[in-house]
Amino acid sequence: MTALGAHAGEFSAMPRDIAALCEAIQGVLIHRDIAPLLYGLKLSEEDRDNGHIRPIAQMLTRIHVLDARPLTIAREPAHRLPTVCRHFSLMLCSILRAQGVPARPRCGFGAYFTPGKFEDHWVCEYWDAGDARWILVDAQLDAVQRKAFNPDFDPLDVPRDRFVIAGDAWQMCRSGRADASRFGLTHIHESGLWFIAGNVVRDLASLNRMEMLPWDVWGLMEMGDDALTDEKKALIDRVAALTLAGDNALADVRAIYESDDRLRVPPVVFNALRNAPESIAS
């Protein structure tokens, strides 16, 4: 998903400072669900359909269809590409990888959008060589959103209790330390252990460089807690532990993903929003 293709030269002019990179990304992307609420934009269905784009190469092509200027020039909100949190994270990840910095989008839940809730969300995690640690960055939170949501932290270094990686959310709920009904997506009234399990599988795929859409469904993913058998819960227990285990577990993260058809992203997934199967190459 982060292969640049014909756009390989696009990122050479991008800044190397994380704050400046996030600002540049915020100047070309806009969250399609937040746009009407905070930016006063009325998006058509065609505009919203941009959120179904998966690869960064297609995102860049569409960005330039909307505005042909370099990525470093901020667009007015109406001329930005309407997407969702996953795309902000994917774009930051793509730029950092092109600059030689280890990075990966992480799937989980943000505790800073709706009081008392953990909302379905993606951020980017990158390796800071100077601090010798992985850092979470929310590239979506521009000045407008920071004012609206008033996060109590620096979006360039998100605490891990404010963005909860899916595997951590699963372990919290399985152990009784958190209520699974608080994890989901408030505006569609969906939550529960099944929702968390789906994000654990998406996070595993992302760690294997298959950064899928938040509504892509395949394999082990279920719609409802009743479908989570003890065997499936045990498998998610194992996957969750591996996604949190650190760099020494990367070989095992790869092995479990490759060895189980229920976890590995197939050539065709089910797009839950479009209610239709889709080739991931399209």
Side-chain angles (χ1 to χ4, degrees), residues 109 164-178 180 183 192-200 220 225 228-241 243-244:
F109 300 88
V164 181
I165 291 172
D168 200 8
W170 175 264
Q171 291 185 348
M172 289 165 61
C173 294
R174 285 280 277 161
S175 66
R177 290 179 289 128
F183 293 78
L193 202 60
W194 68 270
F195 198 117
I196 301 169
N199 275 4
V200 173
L220 193 66
D225 287 354
L228 285 174
T229 64
D230 288 343
E231 187 271 336
K232 289 177 181 178
K233 288 179 182 177
L235 177 57
I236 297 295
D237 286 342
R238 173 66 174 154
V239 172
T243 62
L244 301 173

Side-chain angles (χ1 to χ4, degrees), residues 40-97:
L41 295 181
K42 185 176 181 180
L43 300 178
S44 67
E45 281 306 307
E46 182 181 2
D47 293 330
R48 289 179 56 81
D49 269 354
N50 288 296
H52 294 286
I53 296 173
R54 292 182 182 86
I56 186 66
Q58 290 184 24
M59 287 174 58
L60 294 172
T61 295
R62 185 62 184 155
I63 286 169
H64 288 309
V65 168
L66 298 173
D67 190 317
R69 293 178 296 170
L71 296 173
T72 51
I73 299 176
R75 282 73 161 151
E76 291 299 314
H79 294 102
R80 298 174 192 169
L81 181 70
T83 56
V84 295
C85 52
R86 173 264 186 191
H87 297 85
F88 285 84
S89 302
L90 184 77
M91 189 166 182
L92 179 56
C93 173
S94 301
I95 296 171
L96 290 172
R97 286 179 179 174

Side-chain angles (χ1 to χ4, degrees), residues 98-117:
Q99 294 178 347
V101 178
R104 60 261 186 119
R106 299 306 301 260
C107 180
F109 300 88
Y112 41 95
F113 297 105
T114 306
K117 300 289 187 178

Side-chain angles (χ1 to χ4, degrees), residues 33-282:
D33 297 325
I34 297 176
L37 301 174
L38 297 184
Y39 303 85
L41 295 181
K42 185 176 181 180
L43 300 178
S44 67
E45 281 306 307
E46 182 181 2
D47 293 330
R48 289 179 56 81
D49 269 354
N50 288 296
H52 294 286
I53 296 173
R54 292 182 182 86
I56 186 66
Q58 290 184 24
M59 287 174 58
L60 294 172
T61 295
R62 185 62 184 155
I63 286 169
H64 288 309
V65 168
L66 298 173
D67 190 317
R69 293 178 296 170
L71 296 173
T72 51
I73 299 176
R75 282 73 161 151
E76 291 299 314
H79 294 102
R80 298 174 192 169
L81 181 70
T83 56
V84 295
C85 52
R86 173 264 186 191
H87 297 85
F88 285 84
S89 302
L90 184 77
M91 189 166 182
L92 179 56
C93 173
S94 301
I95 296 171
L96 290 172
R97 286 179 179 174
Q99 294 178 347
V101 178
R104 60 261 186 119
R106 299 306 301 260
C107 180
F109 300 88
Y112 41 95
F113 297 105
T114 306
K117 300 289 187 178
F118 294 85
E119 300 283 8
D120 182 37
H121 195 48
W122 291 68
V123 300
C124 180
E125 186 177 48
Y126 79 97
W127 179 254
D128 185 307
D131 282 354
R133 67 184 179 105
W134 289 97
I135 296 177
L136 300 174
V137 178
D138 193 330
Q140 176 191 305
L141 294 186
D142 61 11
V144 172
Q145 292 180 45
R146 292 196 299 273
K147 181 178 180 181
F149 298 123
N150 193 29
D152 57 355
F153 56 85
D154 181 358
L156 303 182
D157 190 353
V158 182
R160 292 175 187 264
D161 63 343
R162 309 303 288 143
F163 177 82
V164 181
I165 291 172
D168 200 8
W170 175 264
Q171 291 185 348
M172 289 165 61
C173 294
R174 285 280 277 161
S175 66
R177 290 179 289 128
D179 180 354
S181 68
R182 297 171 62 202
F183 293 78
L185 201 52
T186 300
H187 79 269
I188 63 170
H189 309 291
E190 298 282 9
S191 63
L193 202 60
W194 68 270
F195 198 117
I196 301 169
N199 275 4
V200 173
V201 176
R202 292 184 187 95
D203 191 53
L204 174 70
S206 187
L207 291 177
N208 282 276
R209 298 178 71 99
M210 289 297 290
E211 304 89 355
M212 305 305 291
L213 296 176
W215 47 84
D216 280 336
V217 176
W218 70 91
L220 193 66
M221 297 180 189
E222 303 284 1
M223 292 290 290
D225 287 354
D226 290 344
L228 285 174
T229 64
D230 288 343
E231 187 271 336
K232 289 177 181 178
K233 288 179 182 177
L235 177 57
I236 297 295
D237 286 342
R238 173 66 174 154
V239 172
L242 286 174
T243 62
L244 301 173
D247 297 341
N248 290 336
L250 287 179
D252 293 330
V253 165
R254 186 66 176 169
I256 196 170
Y257 173 79
E258 288 289 351
S259 65
D260 196 319
D261 289 342
R262 296 171 296 174
L263 301 174
R264 188 171 62 251
V265 178
V268 175
V269 297
F270 187 77
N271 184 319
L273 292 189
R274 286 178 166 167
N275 196 32
E278 267 182 9
S279 168
I280 63 173
S282 62

